[in-house]
Amino acid sequence: MTGRRAKLVVILAIILASAFGLIGWTQTWFTADLTDSYTVLAVSGQVASPALSALSLAGLALAGALAIAGPVIRIVLSLLAVILGASIALAASLSLGDPVSAVGPAVTESTGIAGSASIAALVESVEATSWPAVTIAAGILLALSGLFAVVTTRRWPGSTRRYRAVRFDATDDGAERSTRPTFGDEPSARDRAIDEWDDLSRGTDPTDTTR
């Protein structure tokens, strides 16, 4: 795989994983049946794992930064992607491993009953949807993308923009005029127009070819 393709794969994978983490955060994760009130509560990822939104948004921002970063910063960002992915997977796993605690805030809001023991006694059963598992998979994908970026980042292409250095050339009247950076070997029409305007501001005729 070429460096350019590896870079594209990593960035798209990070965006996809972060997007699924953010989408999963908005979906229903658990349905809880309460014994006393015969109530069924639908609990979303916002309640079960509130940190997911910040982690997923950080992943999206990281993808943008990784696309323009230099070689050294790319390694740092790639390692950060591993940490973010592991954090997303861990947050979802903790909720899936202890669903009663995950639905606790929703139970408290619905019934006014607080305390882990009281909530556990009130909750008859908790059924998980597929979204916690999807979110765990998204976190794993994000972490693997970061690891792949660490391995391949040295082959990624650098910036293709070439700038000319700014220098000052002395004119016949003793003034200095700057040569602005451009993307090619010749100044652009916009830069030539700016130079001519600067000449007029100094009282110099830009059409004088004897200079």
Side-chain angles (χ1 to χ4, degrees):
M1 181 181 292
T2 64
R4 186 178 299 276
R5 180 168 295 181
K7 179 179 180 179
L8 180 62
V9 168
V10 167
I11 293 175
L12 289 179
I14 291 176
I15 293 174
L16 182 66
S18 301
F20 267 99
L22 194 59
I23 292 172
W25 176 73
T26 66
Q27 303 302 310
T28 299
W29 281 29
F30 302 103
T31 54
D33 293 328
L34 305 186
T35 56
D36 293 347
S37 59
Y38 302 100
T39 302
V40 178
L41 296 178
V43 182
S44 68
Q46 301 177 36
V47 176
S49 188
L52 280 177
S53 60
L55 294 171
S56 299
L57 288 173
L60 291 174
L62 185 144
L66 196 59
I68 60 175
V72 177
I73 302 300
R74 283 200 298 258
I75 296 177
V76 176
L77 293 175
S78 300
L79 294 175
L80 183 58
V82 176
I83 296 173
L84 285 175
S87 299
I88 290 174
L90 178 61
S93 297
L94 291 176
S95 297
L96 193 59
D98 190 3
V100 175
S101 296
V103 301
V107 174
T108 299
E109 183 179 358
S110 176
T111 64
I113 296 175
S116 57
S118 300
I119 291 174
L122 184 60
V123 175
E124 181 177 3
S125 64
V126 179
E127 184 176 346
T129 67
S130 60
W131 281 105
V134 171
T135 307
I136 292 172
I140 294 173
L141 175 61
L142 179 54
L144 292 177
S145 300
L147 288 175
F148 185 68
V150 171
V151 175
T152 62
T153 184
R154 292 185 179 180
R155 304 202 309 265
W156 290 13
S159 175
T160 57
R161 291 186 174 183
R162 295 178 299 163
Y163 294 91
R164 292 173 55 191
V166 176
R167 67 178 185 273
F168 290 90
D169 296 331
T171 60
D172 293 339
D173 57 3
E176 289 186 340
R177 58 185 300 179
S178 63
T179 302
R180 292 176 174 79
T182 61
F183 293 105
D185 294 333
E186 295 296 333
S188 65
R190 177 176 177 273
D191 288 336
R192 288 196 300 269
I194 293 174
D195 287 337
E196 291 174 357
W197 180 261
D198 290 341
D199 289 338
L200 285 173
S201 299
R202 290 192 295 267
T204 304
D205 183 4
T207 62
D208 185 1
T209 59
T210 63
R211 292 185 295 127

